[in-house]
Coordinates of all heavy atoms in Angstrom, one line a residue:
V19 N 59.8 -119.0 84.3 CA 58.7 -118.9 83.2 C 58.4 -120.3 82.7 O 59.2 -121.0 82.2 CB 59.2 -118.1 82.0 CG1 58.2 -118.0 80.9 CG2 59.6 -116.6 82.4
Y20 N 57.2 -120.7 83.1 CA 56.9 -122.1 82.8 C 56.1 -122.1 81.4 O 56.3 -123.1 80.6 CB 55.9 -122.7 83.8 CG 55.5 -124.1 83.7 CD1 56.5 -125.2 83.7 CD2 54.2 -124.4 83.5 CE1 56.1 -126.4 83.5 CE2 53.9 -125.8 83.3 CZ 54.7 -126.8 83.3 OH 54.4 -128.1 83.1
K21 N 55.4 -121.1 81.1 CA 54.6 -121.1 79.8 C 54.8 -119.6 79.3 O 54.5 -118.7 80.0 CB 53.2 -121.5 79.9 CG 53.0 -123.0 80.2 CD 53.3 -123.9 79.0 CE 53.0 -125.3 79.4 NZ 53.4 -126.2 78.3
H22 N 55.1 -119.5 78.0 CA 55.1 -118.2 77.3 C 54.3 -118.5 76.0 O 54.8 -119.2 75.1 CB 56.5 -117.7 77.0 CG 56.5 -116.4 76.3 ND1 57.5 -115.8 75.6 CD2 55.5 -115.4 76.2 CE1 57.3 -114.6 75.2 NE2 56.0 -114.4 75.5
E23 N 53.1 -117.9 75.9 CA 52.3 -118.3 74.8 C 51.6 -116.9 74.3 O 51.7 -115.9 74.8 CB 51.1 -119.2 75.2 CG 51.7 -120.6 75.6 CD 50.7 -121.6 76.1 OE1 49.5 -121.0 76.5 OE2 51.0 -122.8 76.2
L24 N 50.9 -117.1 73.1 CA 50.2 -116.0 72.5 C 51.1 -114.9 72.0 O 51.0 -113.7 72.1 CB 49.1 -115.4 73.4 CG 48.0 -116.3 73.9 CD1 47.1 -115.6 74.8 CD2 47.2 -116.8 72.7
Y25 N 52.3 -115.4 71.5 CA 53.3 -114.4 70.9 C 53.5 -114.7 69.4 O 54.1 -114.0 68.7 CB 54.6 -114.4 71.6 CG 55.3 -115.8 71.6 CD1 56.2 -116.1 70.6 CD2 55.2 -116.7 72.6 CE1 56.9 -117.3 70.6 CE2 55.8 -117.8 72.7 CZ 56.7 -118.2 71.6 OH 57.3 -119.4 71.7
D26 N 52.8 -115.9 68.9 CA 52.8 -116.2 67.5 C 51.7 -117.3 67.4 O 51.1 -117.7 68.3 CB 54.2 -116.7 67.0 CG 54.7 -117.9 67.7 OD1 53.9 -118.6 68.4 OD2 55.9 -118.2 67.6
V27 N 51.5 -117.7 66.1 CA 50.5 -118.7 65.8 C 50.7 -120.0 66.5 O 49.8 -120.6 67.1 CB 50.3 -118.8 64.3 CG1 49.3 -119.9 64.0 CG2 49.9 -117.5 63.6
V28 N 51.9 -120.4 66.5 CA 52.3 -121.7 67.1 C 51.9 -121.7 68.6 O 51.4 -122.7 69.1 CB 53.7 -122.1 66.8 CG1 54.0 -123.4 67.5 CG2 53.9 -122.3 65.3
S29 N 52.3 -120.7 69.2 CA 52.1 -120.6 70.7 C 50.7 -120.3 71.1 O 50.4 -120.2 72.2 CB 53.0 -119.6 71.3 OG 52.6 -118.3 70.8
S30 N 49.8 -120.3 70.1 CA 48.3 -120.0 70.4 C 47.4 -121.1 70.2 O 46.2 -121.0 70.5 CB 47.9 -118.8 69.5 OG 48.7 -117.6 69.7
V31 N 48.0 -122.2 69.7 CA 47.0 -123.4 69.2 C 46.4 -124.0 70.4 O 45.3 -124.6 70.2 CB 47.9 -124.4 68.4 CG1 48.4 -123.8 67.1 CG2 49.0 -124.9 69.2
D32 N 46.9 -123.9 71.6 CA 46.3 -124.6 72.8 C 45.3 -123.7 73.4 O 44.6 -124.2 74.4 CB 47.4 -124.9 73.8 CG 48.3 -126.0 73.3 OD1 47.9 -126.9 72.6 OD2 49.5 -126.0 73.7
W33 N 45.0 -122.5 72.8 CA 44.0 -121.7 73.3 C 42.7 -121.9 72.4 O 42.8 -121.7 71.3 CB 44.4 -120.2 73.3 CG 45.5 -119.9 74.4 CD1 46.8 -120.2 74.3 CD2 45.2 -119.2 75.6 NE1 47.4 -119.8 75.4 CE2 46.5 -119.2 76.2 CE3 44.1 -118.7 76.2 CZ2 46.6 -118.6 77.5 CZ3 44.3 -118.1 77.4 CH2 45.6 -118.1 78.1
I34 N 41.7 -122.4 73.0 CA 40.5 -122.8 72.3 C 39.4 -121.7 72.6 O 39.1 -121.3 73.7 CB 39.9 -124.1 72.8 CG1 41.1 -125.2 72.7 CG2 38.7 -124.6 71.9 CD1 41.7 -125.4 71.2
G35 N 38.8 -121.3 71.4 CA 37.7 -120.3 71.5 C 36.4 -120.8 71.0 O 36.3 -121.7 70.1
L36 N 35.3 -120.2 71.5 CA 34.0 -120.5 70.9 C 33.6 -119.6 69.9 O 33.5 -118.4 70.0 CB 32.9 -120.4 72.1 CG 31.5 -120.7 71.8 CD1 31.3 -122.1 71.4 CD2 30.6 -120.3 73.0
N37 N 33.3 -120.2 68.6 CA 33.0 -119.4 67.5 C 31.5 -119.0 67.5 O 30.7 -119.5 68.3 CB 33.3 -120.2 66.2 CG 34.8 -120.5 66.1 OD1 35.6 -119.7 66.4 ND2 35.1 -121.8 65.7
S38 N 31.1 -118.1 66.6 CA 29.8 -117.6 66.6 C 28.8 -118.7 66.2 O 27.6 -118.7 66.5 CB 29.7 -116.5 65.6 OG 30.1 -116.9 64.4
D39 N 29.3 -119.7 65.4 CA 28.4 -120.9 65.1 C 28.5 -122.1 66.1 O 28.2 -123.1 65.8 CB 28.9 -121.4 63.7 CG 30.3 -121.8 63.7 OD1 31.0 -121.7 64.7 OD2 30.7 -122.3 62.6
S40 N 29.0 -121.7 67.3 CA 29.0 -122.7 68.3 C 30.0 -123.7 68.2 O 30.0 -124.8 68.9 CB 27.6 -123.2 68.7 OG 26.7 -122.3 69.0
T41 N 30.9 -123.5 67.2 CA 32.0 -124.5 67.1 C 33.2 -124.0 67.9 O 33.3 -122.8 68.3 CB 32.4 -124.7 65.6 OG1 32.8 -123.4 65.0 CG2 31.2 -125.2 64.9
L42 N 34.2 -124.8 68.0 CA 35.4 -124.6 68.8 C 36.6 -124.6 67.8 O 36.7 -125.4 66.9 CB 35.7 -125.6 69.9 CG 34.6 -125.7 71.0 CD1 34.9 -126.8 72.0 CD2 34.4 -124.3 71.7
S43 N 37.6 -123.7 68.1 CA 38.8 -123.7 67.2 C 39.9 -123.0 68.0 O 39.6 -122.2 69.0 CB 38.5 -122.9 65.9 OG 38.1 -121.6 66.1
S44 N 41.1 -123.2 67.6 CA 42.2 -122.6 68.2 C 42.3 -121.1 67.9 O 41.8 -120.7 66.8 CB 43.5 -123.2 67.8 OG 43.6 -124.5 68.2
L45 N 42.9 -120.3 68.8 CA 43.0 -118.9 68.5 C 44.1 -118.7 67.4 O 45.1 -119.4 67.3 CB 43.4 -118.1 69.7 CG 42.4 -118.1 70.9 CD1 42.8 -117.2 72.0 CD2 41.0 -117.8 70.4
T46 N 43.9 -117.7 66.5 CA 44.8 -117.3 65.5 C 45.0 -115.8 65.5 O 44.5 -115.1 66.3 CB 44.3 -117.8 64.1 OG1 43.1 -117.2 63.9 CG2 44.2 -119.3 64.0
T47 N 45.9 -115.4 64.5 CA 46.1 -113.9 64.4 C 44.8 -113.2 64.2 O 43.9 -113.7 63.6 CB 47.1 -113.6 63.3 OG1 48.3 -114.5 63.4 CG2 47.5 -112.2 63.1
I48 N 44.8 -112.0 64.7 CA 43.5 -111.2 64.6 C 43.2 -111.0 63.1 O 44.0 -110.9 62.3 CB 43.7 -109.8 65.3 CG1 42.4 -109.1 65.4 CG2 44.8 -108.9 64.6 CD1 42.5 -107.9 66.3
D49 N 41.9 -111.1 62.8 CA 41.4 -111.1 61.5 C 41.8 -109.7 60.8 O 41.4 -108.6 61.3 CB 39.9 -111.2 61.5 CG 39.3 -111.5 60.2 OD1 40.0 -111.3 59.1 OD2 38.1 -111.8 60.1
S50 N 42.6 -109.9 59.8 CA 43.0 -108.6 59.1 C 41.9 -107.9 58.4 O 42.0 -106.6 58.1 CB 44.1 -109.0 58.0 OG 43.5 -109.9 57.1
N51 N 40.7 -108.5 58.2 CA 39.6 -107.8 57.7 C 39.0 -106.9 58.8 O 38.3 -106.0 58.4 CB 38.5 -108.8 57.3 CG 39.0 -109.7 56.1 OD1 39.7 -109.2 55.2 ND2 38.6 -111.0 56.0
L52 N 39.2 -107.2 60.0 CA 38.7 -106.4 61.0 C 39.7 -105.2 61.3 O 39.3 -104.0 61.4 CB 38.5 -107.1 62.3 CG 37.5 -108.3 62.3 CD1 37.5 -109.0 63.6 CD2 36.1 -107.7 61.9
C53 N 41.0 -105.5 61.4 CA 42.0 -104.4 61.6 C 43.3 -105.0 61.3 O 43.5 -106.2 61.3 CB 41.9 -103.9 63.0 SG 42.4 -105.0 64.3
S54 N 44.3 -104.1 61.1 CA 45.6 -104.5 60.9 C 46.5 -103.9 62.0 O 46.4 -102.7 62.3 CB 46.1 -104.1 59.5 OG 46.0 -102.7 59.3
S55 N 47.4 -104.8 62.6 CA 48.3 -104.3 63.6 C 49.2 -103.3 63.2 O 49.8 -103.3 62.1 CB 49.1 -105.5 64.2 OG 50.0 -105.1 65.2
V56 N 49.5 -102.3 64.1 CA 50.4 -101.2 63.8 C 51.8 -101.3 64.4 O 52.7 -100.5 64.4 CB 49.8 -99.8 64.1 CG1 48.5 -99.6 63.3 CG2 49.5 -99.8 65.6
S57 N 52.0 -102.4 65.2 CA 53.3 -102.7 65.9 C 53.7 -104.1 65.7 O 53.0 -104.9 65.1 CB 53.1 -102.5 67.5 OG 52.3 -103.5 68.0
T58 N 54.9 -104.4 66.2 CA 55.5 -105.8 66.1 C 54.8 -106.8 67.1 O 55.1 -108.0 67.0 CB 57.0 -105.7 66.3 OG1 57.2 -105.2 67.6 CG2 57.7 -104.8 65.3
V59 N 54.0 -106.3 67.9 CA 53.4 -107.2 69.0 C 52.4 -108.0 68.2 O 51.5 -107.6 67.4 CB 52.7 -106.4 70.1 CG1 52.0 -107.3 71.0 CG2 53.7 -105.5 70.8
Y60 N 52.4 -109.4 68.5 CA 51.5 -110.3 68.0 C 50.2 -110.2 68.7 O 50.1 -110.2 69.9 CB 52.0 -111.7 68.1 CG 51.0 -112.8 67.6 CD1 50.9 -113.1 66.3 CD2 50.3 -113.5 68.6 CE1 50.0 -114.1 65.9 CE2 49.4 -114.5 68.2 CZ 49.2 -114.7 66.8 OH 48.3 -115.7 66.4
L61 N 49.1 -110.1 67.9 CA 47.8 -110.0 68.5 C 46.9 -111.2 68.1 O 46.9 -111.5 66.8 CB 47.0 -108.7 68.0 CG 47.7 -107.4 68.4 CD1 46.8 -106.2 67.8 CD2 47.8 -107.2 69.9
S62 N 46.5 -111.9 69.1 CA 45.6 -113.1 68.8 C 44.2 -112.7 68.9 O 43.7 -112.1 69.9 CB 46.0 -114.2 69.7 OG 45.2 -115.3 69.6
G63 N 43.4 -113.0 67.9 CA 42.0 -112.7 67.9 C 41.1 -113.3 69.0 O 41.2 -114.5 69.2
G64 N 40.4 -112.5 69.7 CA 39.6 -113.0 70.8 C 38.3 -113.5 70.4 O 37.8 -113.3 69.2
K65 N 37.6 -114.2 71.3 CA 36.3 -114.7 71.0 C 35.5 -114.5 72.3 O 36.0 -114.1 73.4 CB 36.4 -116.3 70.7 CG 37.1 -116.5 69.5 CD 37.2 -118.0 69.2 CE 38.1 -118.4 67.9 NZ 37.5 -117.7 66.7
D66 N 34.1 -114.8 72.3 CA 33.3 -114.5 73.4 C 33.6 -115.4 74.6 O 33.4 -115.1 75.7 CB 31.7 -114.7 73.0 CG 31.2 -113.6 72.2 OD1 31.9 -112.5 72.2 OD2 30.1 -113.7 71.6
Q67 N 34.1 -116.6 74.3 CA 34.5 -117.6 75.4 C 35.7 -118.3 75.0 O 35.8 -118.8 73.9 CB 33.3 -118.5 75.7 CG 33.5 -119.2 77.1 CD 32.2 -119.9 77.5 OE1 31.2 -119.8 76.8 NE2 32.2 -120.5 78.6
I68 N 36.8 -118.3 75.9 CA 38.1 -118.9 75.6 C 38.5 -119.7 76.7 O 38.3 -119.4 77.8 CB 39.1 -117.8 75.3 CG1 38.7 -116.8 74.1 CG2 40.5 -118.4 75.0 CD1 39.5 -115.6 74.0
W69 N 39.1 -120.9 76.3 CA 39.6 -121.8 77.4 C 41.1 -122.2 77.1 O 41.5 -122.2 76.0 CB 38.8 -123.1 77.3 CG 37.4 -123.0 77.6 CD1 36.8 -123.1 78.9 CD2 36.3 -122.8 76.8 NE1 35.4 -122.9 78.8 CE2 35.1 -122.8 77.5 CE3 36.3 -122.7 75.3 CZ2 33.9 -122.6 76.9 CZ3 35.0 -122.5 74.8 CH2 33.9 -122.5 75.6
R70 N 41.7 -122.4 78.3 CA 43.2 -122.9 78.2 C 43.4 -123.9 79.4 O 43.1 -123.5 80.5 CB 44.2 -121.8 78.2 CG 45.7 -122.3 78.3 CD 46.1 -123.0 77.0 NE 47.5 -123.3 76.9 CZ 48.0 -124.5 77.1 NH1 47.2 -125.5 77.3 NH2 49.3 -124.7 77.1
R71 N 43.8 -125.1 79.1 CA 44.1 -126.1 80.2 C 45.6 -126.4 80.2 O 46.2 -126.7 79.1 CB 43.3 -127.3 80.0 CG 43.6 -128.4 81.0 CD 42.7 -129.6 80.8 NE 41.3 -129.2 81.1 CZ 40.2 -130.0 80.9 NH1 40.4 -131.2 80.5 NH2 39.0 -129.6 81.2
I72 N 46.2 -126.3 81.3 CA 47.7 -126.5 81.4 C 48.0 -127.5 82.5 O 47.5 -127.4 83.7 CB 48.4 -125.1 81.7 CG1 48.1 -124.1 80.6 CG2 49.9 -125.4 81.9 CD1 48.7 -122.7 81.0
Q73 N 48.7 -128.5 82.1 CA 49.2 -129.5 83.2 C 50.4 -129.0 83.8 O 51.3 -128.6 83.2 CB 49.5 -130.9 82.5 CG 48.2 -131.6 81.9 CD 47.3 -131.9 83.0 OE1 46.1 -131.6 82.9 NE2 47.8 -132.6 84.0
M74 N 50.4 -129.1 85.2 CA 51.6 -128.6 86.0 C 52.6 -129.8 86.1 O 52.3 -130.9 86.0 CB 51.1 -128.2 87.4 CG 50.1 -127.0 87.3 SD 50.9 -125.5 86.6 CE 52.0 -125.1 87.9
P75 N 53.9 -129.5 86.4 CA 54.9 -130.5 86.4 C 54.7 -131.4 87.6 O 54.2 -130.9 88.7 CB 56.1 -129.6 86.5 CG 55.8 -128.3 87.1 CD 54.4 -128.1 86.5

Side-chain angles (χ1 to χ4, degrees):
V19 179
Y20 184 62
K21 293 289 183 182
H22 181 199
E23 297 175 343
L24 300 178
Y25 61 87
D26 58 15
V27 174
V28 175
S29 65
S30 304
V31 295
D32 291 327
W33 291 77
I34 307 300
L36 180 65
N37 299 318
S38 57
D39 58 358
S40 299
T41 60
L42 300 176
S43 63
S44 297
L45 298 187
T46 58
T47 305
I48 192 167
D49 190 350
S50 58
N51 294 323
L52 297 177
C53 68
S54 58
S55 177
V56 297
S57 70
T58 58
V59 177
Y60 174 79
L61 297 179
S62 177
K65 299 179 184 296
D66 285 346
Q67 198 165 358
I68 303 171
W69 295 272
R70 174 71 171 101
R71 177 174 295 175
I72 302 173
Q73 293 296 127
M74 298 300 288

